Amino acid sequence: MTEPISLQPDETFVLNVGPQHPATHGVLRVKMTMDGEYIYNAETVLGYIHRMHEKMAENRTYPQFMPNMGRLDYLSAMAFNHGYALVVERACGIEVPERAEYIRVITVELNRISSHLVWLGAYVLDLGGFTPLMYCFDDREQILDLLESVTGSRLTYCYFRFGGLYNDIDDDFISGTRAFIKRMRKELKMYAKLVTGNIILMRRLKDHGPVDQDMCQRYGATGPVARGSGINYDVRRNEPYSVYPEFDFEVPVYGECDSYARYLVRMDEMEQSLRIIEQALDKLPDGPVNPKKKPKLIKPPPGDYFAAVETARGNFGIRMVSDGSKNAYRLKLRSPTYSNMHLFDEACRGMLIADALAFMGSLDLVIPEMDR
Amino acid sequence: MGTKDVPPSIDTIPSSFVQFAIADKVIALGRANSLWPLTFGIACCAIEMMCTGAARFDLSRFGAEVFRPSPRQSDLMIVAGTISNKMAPGIKTLYDQMPEPKWVIALGNCAISGGPFVFEGQYGIVEGADKFLPVDVYVPGCPPRPEALIEGIIELEHKITGWRRWPKVKPEWRESGSDES
Amino acid sequence: MKIQEKTKEALSTLFADLPSSEPEPDDAEEGEKKPVPRGNGIIEQDYLLKGFHLDVQLESEQLLEAVQIIFDLGYYLESITGVDWIKDDQLEVVYDFSRYDFDLCRTVLRTRLPRSAPQLPSITPIYTGASWHERETHDFFGIIFDGHPHLVPLLLPEDADFHPLLKDFKA
């Protein structure tokens, strides 16, 4: 594979990637010091889409802040809904009916698949293959149709309520989801043939983008990035929340520490998500989706609270500090790609720039979630 | 909404001194049917922009699917997302780098007015792309559906050629009166 | 031995010279009626209620030592954040740590600084990933992390001279 040549700091030049660059999936800027085609040093500049979510949390009441969750990470908005609902429910002691918990899991997992599909399409597009994007978006539209029928929106969902959900799912949704699972299983086999085994893709990803376990710990990387480095860490398993303990699923872990391992983790995760959805549909209990007893005004008792969920990109945590009023005193959003992207600066040193962009894609970046 | 003055946009497309009426019309027709948008996603709306270009909605039916990564090759800027103060100079530069004639679509509420991110004491965003760009078509929604973006592109074609590709569909509920729920 | 007890034991060496009585776990820091300010020490929190296990308050001088203990025990850094307690004229910096293994123990380190001179040692020599978190906290609260290699605005524009999450911030 590529051998990093001996680097000559005095022969370097600065290359500016972004903020408008198709490979950065948004408005991310990386200042790279280059030695020819090799990266000598890189500095990531964030903040081009800083949207003041944390300031807004202090200005709005708890229910009013819920729509922001869909806009934080627009690809896996459901999981972010879940995290915020969890922390407020924990603070106020609101019980969630069982049916609501199951529907939460179903929608979150559907959303996870759709997020990974966008990643797959866009990633292969970054690497130069246009066709998979069309297939991925076609499959994704099926999920969006299902979710739209219950949530009312295509992308930026605001479906969860404290203690429950906006509305119940119907039989059409259930039969549609079952049909989708069948279809998706077939499609995943097709992706394996179309993309996974492709020799060009393998040559570009294998042994590139090294992220070892020590680096993960120092930077706090989570999600598929950590799991591609052999760390068996998934918040759904390590810190079970909602009804996840009741499902039988595996956490895919690969120990190769390269881009291809992260790729395989995500591909396997889609399969596991399908398994979770299938089990949840089988076990789906009857009953209400909103609690009978629920405080009219959400006013958590003073103190600070924490909740974490597994989004499509990793561990999303919320630290909420309440002073007993109807606005949060401080709401800290710990977004997964913020930590995942941070290790790029260190890991890309000595890489070819083309490999660095392939590595960046394997981190699965969503910039608004990073900048908040 | 609608209380603030919108700065007047450029209403004539700069062209040569010598005008050839029919030739101009033909050229405008060509331009309208082959808009090349800039690949420039800022936030959530960019995903819907991708959807519009991808399988189901297929923007290439309207000749606008050639997304160019370089501003120098494109003539349509779709401002898809919130413009932060830090990003605004960059967008201005991109717009300046695009060759004439060029058009701007403000996609989504954030690009129209700042959308949900406008509140008292906000410190980070520009409240609308029309604060510093001449916007031709506004597409509302948070985010707008792909159909809305397609309608926006058709509306832009209408603006360029003065001729609309399809007649506007009147919504049915307007005709059938108020008893429709 | 469970990691929670292990961590508690390791961290309690920092508070050896303090009186042995532990502070009461209920909201000693906030509240309407003039609360008793919380002293330094370790509190074991109810996970189901709060979402974290160990809650450690310490002096800023003890921070590096505590973080080194936490690092050696195999924790990863989740986030660093600030809270502006304008009524007490103090800024609080909160460090969240979590673990990769199945022995779940979320640990929180917090330290209070005077609002007039918010200075804290940087933990970037231990956790490299703290760099962005510290820069972000510097952006939002103006807390200065001594020894940080590159303390310039990250999320705000490069020339920003305001700290928007301070409670007395006016746009």
Side-chain angles (χ1 to χ4, degrees):
Chain A
M1 288 295 132
T2 49
E3 298 256 322
I5 51 165
S6 61
L7 301 168
Q8 302 287 330
D10 43 299
E11 291 175 15
T12 56
F13 61 95
V14 174
L15 183 74
N16 191 38
V17 180
Q20 189 265 333
H21 190 277
T24 57
H25 297 241
V27 283
L28 177 76
R29 178 173 163 218
V30 186
K31 275 193 282 188
M32 291 174 179
T33 315
M34 307 290 298
D35 182 15
E37 280 283 292
Y38 290 88
I39 296 170
Y40 179 68
N41 205 347
E43 185 200 342
T44 311
V45 184
L46 304 181
Y48 287 96
I49 182 86
H50 175 56
R51 298 198 275 191
M52 313 166 285
H53 285 287
E54 291 176 10
K55 185 81 182 168
M56 282 169 90
E58 295 172 15
N59 285 324
R60 301 189 166 190
T61 62
Y62 289 99
Q64 277 173 346
F65 188 63
M66 186 59 109
N68 280 49
M69 285 297 135
R71 276 128 193 111
L72 253 174
D73 178 352
Y74 40 76
L75 288 183
S76 72
M78 281 298 183
F80 277 65
N81 272 235
H82 203 168
Y84 184 54
L86 271 184
V87 72
V88 176
E89 280 155 14
R90 179 169 275 162
C92 299
I94 304 171
E95 293 275 324
V96 186
E98 214 186 348
R99 185 178 171 87
E101 292 275 29
Y102 274 84
I103 298 173
R104 280 181 178 190
V105 169
I106 294 169
T107 48
V108 167
E109 294 304 323
L110 277 175
N111 203 206
R112 189 185 313 274
I113 298 173
S114 81
S115 168
H116 283 339
L117 281 173
V118 173
W119 163 80
L120 175 64
Y123 187 36
V124 182
L125 185 68
D126 286 351
L127 298 174
F130 189 74
T131 318
L133 180 88
M134 291 295 170
Y135 285 101
C136 292
F137 270 74
D138 188 23
D139 288 337
R140 183 170 172 268
E141 290 292 342
Q142 315 296 326
I143 301 176
L144 296 192
D145 281 349
L146 289 170
L147 290 179
E148 191 185 351
S149 72
V150 290
T151 64
S153 54
R154 274 170 58 89
L155 193 67
T156 50
Y157 310 111
C158 175
Y159 180 50
F160 290 18
R161 298 289 182 270
F162 303 130
L165 299 164
Y166 162 61
N167 64 6
D168 202 351
I169 59 175
D170 52 11
D171 291 342
D172 285 351
F173 178 83
I174 294 172
S175 57
T177 311
R178 283 194 194 281
F180 170 76
I181 293 172
K182 220 169 145 192
R183 174 200 163 110
M184 194 64 207
R185 290 235 161 95
K186 232 192 274 162
E187 297 282 306
L188 280 174
K189 282 198 192 101
M190 190 266 290
Y191 290 132
K193 279 189 198 143
L194 181 71
V195 186
T196 312
N198 188 313
I199 188 75
I200 303 170
L201 183 101
M202 284 208 212
R203 290 293 288 273
R204 286 211 62 186
L205 301 191
K206 270 197 176 164
D207 299 323
H208 289 300
V211 178
D212 56 17
Q213 296 199 2
D214 171 60
M215 201 188 253
C216 283
Q217 193 210 348
R218 280 186 294 119
Y219 282 97
T222 51
V225 178
R227 289 196 283 278
S229 307
I231 297 174
N232 185 2
Y233 180 70
D234 186 318
V235 186
R236 291 176 292 174
R237 266 286 152 78
N238 292 53
E239 190 183 347
Y241 57 94
S242 192
V243 284
Y244 278 110
E246 292 175 30
F247 302 121
D248 172 33
F249 67 100
E250 282 155 31
V251 177
V253 179
Y254 287 84
E256 284 84 1
C257 306
D258 55 6
S259 300
Y260 195 61
R262 292 186 278 278
Y263 171 88
L264 290 175
V265 166
R266 293 199 182 89
M267 297 306 278
D268 289 3
E269 257 179 30
M270 285 198 253
E271 247 170 73
Q272 298 303 325
S273 290
L274 288 177
R275 271 180 73 191
I276 297 175
I277 298 166
E278 203 168 36
Q279 291 169 46
L281 285 175
D282 288 340
K283 288 184 186 170
L284 187 68
D286 284 329
V289 292
N290 275 308
K292 286 197 191 82
K293 264 204 330 207
K294 189 178 154 188
K296 270 247 168 64
L297 201 60
I298 305 283
K299 271 190 179 179
D304 53 352
Y305 307 91
F306 195 91
V309 292
E310 181 78 17
T311 73
R313 269 155 282 280
N315 170 8
F316 167 61
I318 298 192
R319 164 164 296 282
M320 187 177 90
V321 181
S322 162
D323 61 346
S325 68
K326 57 187 196 308
N327 307 15
Y329 191 77
R330 171 89 175 96
L331 196 102
K332 161 76 187 174
L333 306 159
R334 188 264 181 214
S335 52
T337 35
Y338 192 73
S339 301
N340 291 357
M341 180 62 202
H342 195 175
L343 52 80
F344 178 81
D345 291 2
E346 187 183 318
C348 75
R349 280 179 204 157
M351 249 186 220
L352 279 167
I353 184 159
D355 290 339
L357 291 181
F359 169 47
M360 190 193 278
S362 79
L363 298 174
D364 191 8
L365 306 177
V366 169
I367 315 298
E369 174 216 18
M370 217 147 80
D371 288 355
R372 287 158 294 155
Chain B
M1 301 289 266
T3 50
K4 286 183 183 168
D5 287 337
V6 178
S9 61
I10 304 165
D11 45 14
T12 52
I13 299 163
S15 187
S16 56
F17 282 111
V18 189
Q19 301 267 329
F20 300 97
I22 294 191
D24 273 3
K25 266 188 187 167
V26 173
I27 291 166
L29 206 62
R31 279 173 182 156
N33 284 294
S34 60
L35 291 167
W36 284 16
L38 177 65
T39 316
F40 181 46
I42 309 180
C44 333
C45 296
I47 301 295
E48 290 297 64
M49 194 165 83
M50 280 164 82
C51 281
T52 319
R56 186 184 287 179
F57 296 97
D58 195 10
L59 199 56
S60 54
R61 290 177 295 166
F62 309 97
E65 90 286 11
V66 192
F67 281 93
R68 302 311 294 183
S70 165
R72 296 181 202 283
Q73 298 170 351
S74 48
D75 55 3
L76 168 63
M77 177 185 250
I78 302 178
V79 184
T82 323
I83 302 159
S84 66
N85 286 338
K86 199 169 177 176
M87 192 62 212
I91 296 176
K92 184 82 180 48
T93 311
L94 285 172
Y95 180 76
D96 291 342
Q97 284 175 342
M98 283 163 58
E100 294 278 356
K102 53 192 169 185
W103 298 274
V104 178
I105 289 182
L107 183 70
N109 289 354
C110 293
I112 293 173
S113 67
F117 300 101
V118 177
F119 59 95
E120 210 177 309
Q122 69 93 352
Y123 58 88
I125 62 160
V126 179
E127 295 177 10
D130 52 16
K131 289 270 191 293
F132 61 98
L133 291 180
V135 178
D136 295 286
V137 177
Y138 297 85
V139 181
C142 191
R145 296 181 57 91
E147 292 95 328
L149 177 56
I150 292 175
E151 172 65 25
I153 293 215
I154 292 176
E155 200 57 46
L156 183 65
E157 290 176 2
H158 184 187
K159 183 173 176 174
I160 297 169
T161 59
W163 168 80
R164 203 183 142 87
R165 199 191 279 256
W166 279 288
K168 264 194 180 156
V169 183
K170 265 192 180 170
E172 272 176 30
W173 56 271
R174 245 181 233 166
E175 287 169 355
S176 52
S178 60
D179 51 357
E180 199 88 13
S181 62
Chain C
M1 193 154 87
K2 282 198 77 176
I3 193 73
Q4 187 174 344
E5 292 153 22
K6 220 164 148 184
T7 314
K8 198 181 167 192
E9 205 177 287
L11 284 172
S12 54
T13 53
L14 291 173
F15 305 104
D17 51 342
L18 278 183
S20 61
S21 67
E22 281 187 10
E24 285 299 304
D26 53 21
D27 323 304
E29 48 191 290
E30 310 83 359
E32 309 296 322
K33 354 171 192 55
K34 203 63 191 152
V36 191
R38 184 186 153 184
N40 293 345
I42 306 170
I43 301 176
E44 276 185 81
Q45 298 278 16
D46 183 1
Y47 171 71
L48 289 176
L49 219 66
K50 289 282 195 180
F52 48 92
H53 298 86
L54 287 178
D55 187 342
V56 186
Q57 175 148 337
L58 35 75
E59 287 298 321
S60 51
E61 293 84 47
Q62 296 170 313
L63 182 72
L64 282 179
E65 211 179 323
V67 171
Q68 187 65 52
I69 293 172
I70 293 272
F71 180 79
D72 292 341
L73 286 169
Y75 285 79
Y76 75 88
L77 175 72
E78 266 200 304
S79 70
I80 300 176
T81 183
V83 185
D84 181 13
W85 297 105
I86 194 163
K87 278 186 198 153
D88 306 339
D89 203 28
Q90 278 177 328
L91 286 170
E92 185 177 21
V93 183
V94 185
Y95 295 77
D96 282 289
F97 297 95
S98 184
R99 296 185 65 79
Y100 283 130
D101 55 18
F102 286 84
D103 203 353
L104 182 68
C105 178
R106 279 182 193 277
T107 306
V108 179
L109 302 185
R110 52 180 88 222
T111 177
R112 293 226 174 186
L113 307 165
R115 225 157 165 277
S116 48
Q119 278 207 337
L120 204 62
S122 166
I123 65 164
T124 42
I126 305 166
Y127 281 100
T128 330
S131 168
W132 280 11
H133 292 288
E134 286 180 353
R135 278 170 74 183
E136 182 199 323
T137 315
H138 172 73
D139 279 11
F140 288 164
F141 294 93
I143 293 163
I144 294 158
F145 291 91
D146 289 329
H148 189 286
H150 193 55
L151 200 63
V152 297
L154 177 70
L155 295 181
L156 299 179
E158 287 92 344
D159 55 351
D161 53 354
F162 52 92
H163 303 298
L165 286 186
L166 291 175
K167 290 283 172 188
D168 53 1
F169 168 75
K170 296 269 185 301

CSV table of all heavy atoms in Angstrom, one decimal, chain A residues 81-98:
chain,number,residue,atom,x,y,z
A,81,ASN,N,-34.7,12.8,18.6
A,81,ASN,CA,-36.0,13.0,19.3
A,81,ASN,C,-36.0,12.1,20.5
A,81,ASN,O,-36.4,12.6,21.6
A,81,ASN,CB,-37.2,12.5,18.4
A,81,ASN,CG,-37.7,13.6,17.5
A,81,ASN,OD1,-38.9,13.9,17.5
A,81,ASN,ND2,-36.9,14.2,16.7
A,82,HIS,N,-35.6,10.9,20.3
A,82,HIS,CA,-35.6,9.9,21.4
A,82,HIS,C,-34.7,10.4,22.6
A,82,HIS,O,-35.1,10.3,23.7
A,82,HIS,CB,-35.1,8.6,20.9
A,82,HIS,CG,-35.6,7.4,21.7
A,82,HIS,ND1,-35.5,6.1,21.3
A,82,HIS,CD2,-36.1,7.4,22.9
A,82,HIS,CE1,-36.0,5.3,22.2
A,82,HIS,NE2,-36.4,6.1,23.2
A,83,GLY,N,-33.5,10.9,22.2
A,83,GLY,CA,-32.6,11.3,23.3
A,83,GLY,C,-33.2,12.5,24.1
A,83,GLY,O,-33.2,12.5,25.3
A,84,TYR,N,-33.8,13.4,23.4
A,84,TYR,CA,-34.4,14.5,24.1
A,84,TYR,C,-35.6,14.1,25.0
A,84,TYR,O,-35.7,14.5,26.1
A,84,TYR,CB,-34.7,15.6,23.1
A,84,TYR,CG,-35.2,16.9,23.8
A,84,TYR,CD1,-34.5,17.6,24.7
A,84,TYR,CD2,-36.4,17.5,23.4
A,84,TYR,CE1,-34.9,18.7,25.3
A,84,TYR,CE2,-36.9,18.6,24.0
A,84,TYR,CZ,-36.1,19.2,24.9
A,84,TYR,OH,-36.6,20.4,25.5
A,85,ALA,N,-36.4,13.3,24.4
A,85,ALA,CA,-37.6,12.8,25.1
A,85,ALA,C,-37.1,12.0,26.4
A,85,ALA,O,-37.7,12.2,27.4
A,85,ALA,CB,-38.4,11.9,24.2
A,86,LEU,N,-36.1,11.2,26.2
A,86,LEU,CA,-35.6,10.5,27.3
A,86,LEU,C,-35.1,11.3,28.5
A,86,LEU,O,-35.4,11.1,29.6
A,86,LEU,CB,-34.4,9.6,26.9
A,86,LEU,CG,-34.6,8.2,26.4
A,86,LEU,CD1,-33.3,7.6,26.1
A,86,LEU,CD2,-35.4,7.4,27.3
A,87,VAL,N,-34.4,12.4,28.2
A,87,VAL,CA,-33.8,13.2,29.3
A,87,VAL,C,-34.9,14.0,30.0
A,87,VAL,O,-34.9,14.1,31.2
A,87,VAL,CB,-32.7,14.1,28.8
A,87,VAL,CG1,-33.1,15.3,28.0
A,87,VAL,CG2,-31.8,14.6,29.9
A,88,VAL,N,-35.9,14.4,29.2
A,88,VAL,CA,-37.0,15.2,29.9
A,88,VAL,C,-37.9,14.2,30.7
A,88,VAL,O,-38.3,14.5,31.8
A,88,VAL,CB,-37.8,16.0,28.9
A,88,VAL,CG1,-38.9,16.7,29.5
A,88,VAL,CG2,-36.9,17.0,28.2
A,89,GLU,N,-38.1,13.0,30.1
A,89,GLU,CA,-38.9,12.0,30.9
A,89,GLU,C,-38.2,11.6,32.1
A,89,GLU,O,-38.8,11.4,33.2
A,89,GLU,CB,-39.1,10.8,30.0
A,89,GLU,CG,-40.3,11.0,29.0
A,89,GLU,CD,-40.1,10.1,27.8
A,89,GLU,OE1,-39.3,9.2,27.8
A,89,GLU,OE2,-40.8,10.4,26.8
A,90,ARG,N,-36.9,11.5,32.0
A,90,ARG,CA,-36.1,11.1,33.2
A,90,ARG,C,-36.2,12.2,34.3
A,90,ARG,O,-36.4,11.9,35.5
A,90,ARG,CB,-34.7,10.9,32.8
A,90,ARG,CG,-33.8,10.5,33.9
A,90,ARG,CD,-32.4,10.1,33.4
A,90,ARG,NE,-32.4,8.7,33.0
A,90,ARG,CZ,-31.5,8.1,32.3
A,90,ARG,NH1,-30.6,8.8,31.7
A,90,ARG,NH2,-31.6,6.8,32.0
A,91,ALA,N,-36.1,13.4,33.8
A,91,ALA,CA,-36.1,14.5,34.8
A,91,ALA,C,-37.5,14.7,35.4
A,91,ALA,O,-37.6,15.0,36.6
A,91,ALA,CB,-35.7,15.8,34.1
A,92,CYS,N,-38.6,14.5,34.6
A,92,CYS,CA,-39.9,14.8,35.2
A,92,CYS,C,-40.5,13.5,35.7
A,92,CYS,O,-41.6,13.5,36.2
A,92,CYS,CB,-40.8,15.3,34.1
A,92,CYS,SG,-40.2,16.9,33.5
A,93,GLY,N,-39.9,12.4,35.5
A,93,GLY,CA,-40.5,11.1,36.0
A,93,GLY,C,-41.7,10.7,35.2
A,93,GLY,O,-42.7,10.2,35.8
A,94,ILE,N,-41.8,10.9,33.9
A,94,ILE,CA,-42.9,10.5,33.1
A,94,ILE,C,-42.8,9.1,32.6
A,94,ILE,O,-41.7,8.7,32.1
A,94,ILE,CB,-43.1,11.5,31.9
A,94,ILE,CG1,-43.2,12.9,32.3
A,94,ILE,CG2,-44.3,11.1,31.1
A,94,ILE,CD1,-43.1,13.9,31.2
A,95,GLU,N,-43.8,8.3,32.8
A,95,GLU,CA,-43.8,6.9,32.4
A,95,GLU,C,-44.3,6.9,30.9
A,95,GLU,O,-45.1,7.6,30.5
A,95,GLU,CB,-44.8,6.1,33.2
A,95,GLU,CG,-44.4,5.9,34.7
A,95,GLU,CD,-43.4,4.8,34.9
A,95,GLU,OE1,-43.6,3.8,34.2
A,95,GLU,OE2,-42.5,4.9,35.7
A,96,VAL,N,-43.6,6.0,30.2
A,96,VAL,CA,-44.0,5.9,28.8
A,96,VAL,C,-44.7,4.5,28.6
A,96,VAL,O,-44.3,3.5,29.0
A,96,VAL,CB,-42.7,5.9,27.9
A,96,VAL,CG1,-43.1,5.9,26.4
A,96,VAL,CG2,-41.9,7.0,28.2
A,97,PRO,N,-45.9,4.6,27.9
A,97,PRO,CA,-46.6,3.3,27.7
A,97,PRO,C,-45.8,2.4,26.8
A,97,PRO,O,-45.0,2.8,26.0
A,97,PRO,CB,-47.9,3.8,27.0
A,97,PRO,CG,-48.0,5.2,27.1
A,97,PRO,CD,-46.6,5.7,27.4
A,98,GLU,N,-46.1,1.1,27.0
A,98,GLU,CA,-45.3,0.1,26.3
A,98,GLU,C,-45.4,0.2,24.8
A,98,GLU,O,-44.4,0.1,24.1
A,98,GLU,CB,-45.7,-1.3,26.8
A,98,GLU,CG,-44.4,-2.2,26.9
A,98,GLU,CD,-44.8,-3.6,27.2
A,98,GLU,OE1,-45.9,-3.9,27.6
A,98,GLU,OE2,-43.9,-4.5,27.0
